[in-house]
Amino acid sequence: RKVIVEENGVSALFRLLKDGNCGGSCEGQVAAATALIWFAEGDLERCRAITSDNHNLGLPIIVQVLGESSMSVQIVVSELVAKIAEVDAVAREEFGRENVLKPLISCLIYDIDMDEYRKYHSGGGKSSLNLHSVVQTAKNRNYDYIDHSNNGTSRGSGSGSGSNISYHKLRSSSSLGGGGNYSKKDRENESPEVKEKLKTKCALALWKLCENSLMNCQKIAEPKGLFCLSKMIETEKGELRFNCLMTILEVARVAEDNP
């Protein structure tokens, strides 16, 4: 691993991650991201070698690939983000400044119907779905590790309007259809297993990015963000649901010290 850094191997992996194979296959990108995951595994210095590689272009490449590539590539790149964010607190903030949350959330919520959210906020009255009720339901089902709740309408403060993410714009933006040759039709034709795996890895990355990060938590903790997470908790199960719950838990932990 030391030799990989000395011989400029990290930069070579990033070139492959960005450009893929000459034939247009995503196999090269998957292989590059997988190699970077094993390279970064549990080591702060190696994570720094990735995030500071090639004059700090490593993070922008990761964000670009997340927004433009096929689901199979997005899965491993999301896992790479989670691995780095788990180890490196500085990288969490750098990821936040590069707006990596935007493609991660896009992948997580691309098939969520936002009509319910728009209907509630345009027509007034009580919402049929809010975070508090979902958490209470989870607790009633013996999810005892959840002891924080929020009404799903609080908004992070202190970072300006730039901290808020427009989720309906994320869903309708061209990046959701993928870049290059990866179209919306290609995305829709992916198997349910691939779609669920992508959502699970994206939720994992969001959880790790939110740990002790006020900036990232503020970007998540706006009404639409909490609505989408509560939807995932209501409709999904297993690891995906757990990762969404843990994301909310991290937001609640940070909010305790940053009301």
Side-chain angles (χ1 to χ4, degrees), residues 155-167:
R155 184 184 296 269
S157 60
S159 60
S161 60
S163 67
N164 297 321
I165 299 174
S166 178
Y167 288 78

Side-chain angles (χ1 to χ4, degrees), residues 7-200:
E7 297 295 332
N8 207 26
V10 175
S11 294
L13 289 170
F14 268 118
R15 286 196 297 272
L16 183 57
L17 177 62
K18 181 179 179 181
D19 300 327
N21 293 342
C22 295
S25 169
C26 66
E27 292 178 0
Q29 290 177 292
V30 171
T34 303
L36 288 168
I37 288 172
W38 284 104
F39 178 77
E41 184 76 37
D43 188 278
L44 178 58
E45 289 187 10
R46 291 197 297 269
C47 286
R48 294 281 169 85
I50 290 175
T51 55
S52 62
D53 180 70
N54 198 18
H55 304 291
N56 295 319
L57 293 179
L59 296 187
I61 289 173
I62 289 174
V63 175
Q64 177 186 344
V65 171
L66 270 173
E68 297 181 353
S69 300
S70 65
M71 283 190 173
S72 59
V73 176
Q74 289 172 325
I75 287 169
V76 287
V77 175
S78 298
E79 185 175 357
L80 174 62
V81 172
K83 291 286 186 182
I84 295 173
E86 185 175 27
V87 174
D88 191 351
V90 174
R92 287 177 218 146
E93 302 303 304
E94 293 295 328
F95 272 127
R97 281 187 280 273
E98 289 292 337
N99 207 14
V100 75
L101 279 77
K102 179 177 179 179
L104 286 171
I105 295 171
S106 297
C107 293
L108 184 66
I109 70 169
Y110 80 94
D111 60 352
I112 288 181
D113 185 359
M114 297 298 290
D115 287 342
E116 183 177 351
Y117 176 84
R118 287 190 289 268
K119 181 180 179 181
Y120 169 60
H121 281 273
S122 62
K126 293 185 177 180
S127 172
S128 61
L129 174 69
N130 59 65
L131 190 58
H132 177 74
S133 64
V134 171
V135 173
Q136 286 300 122
T137 301
K139 289 177 70 175
N140 292 338
R141 293 174 181 171
N142 296 321
Y143 291 97
D144 295 331
Y145 49 84
I146 296 297
D147 58 4
H148 295 279
S149 65
N150 191 298
N151 62 11
T153 57
S154 62
R155 184 184 296 269
S157 60
S159 60
S161 60
S163 67
N164 297 321
I165 299 174
S166 178
Y167 288 78
H168 69 279
K169 287 184 180 179
L170 285 177
R171 292 184 69 245
S172 60
S173 67
S174 59
S175 66
L176 294 187
N181 297 321
Y182 193 68
S183 66
K184 182 177 179 180
K185 183 177 181 180
D186 292 328
R187 182 176 294 274
E188 292 173 349
N189 288 337
E190 292 281 6
S191 69
E193 292 77 18
V194 169
K195 293 177 181 178
E196 181 176 357
K197 187 173 183 180
L198 175 58
K199 291 180 181 180
T200 300

Side-chain angles (χ1 to χ4, degrees), residues 184-234:
K184 182 177 179 180
K185 183 177 181 180
D186 292 328
R187 182 176 294 274
E188 292 173 349
N189 288 337
E190 292 281 6
S191 69
E193 292 77 18
V194 169
K195 293 177 181 178
E196 181 176 357
K197 187 173 183 180
L198 175 58
K199 291 180 181 180
T200 300
K201 294 300 183 183
C202 287
L204 175 65
L206 291 174
W207 166 17
K208 299 304 179 181
L209 287 166
C210 283
E211 288 184 344
N212 299 314
S213 173
L214 175 60
M215 176 175 61
N216 290 337
C217 285
Q218 285 176 325
K219 290 182 177 183
I220 294 291
E222 64 152 2
K224 293 189 186 75
L226 297 180
F227 170 84
C228 293
L229 285 170
S230 67
K231 267 291 192 182
M232 301 296 289
I233 294 168
E234 180 191 46

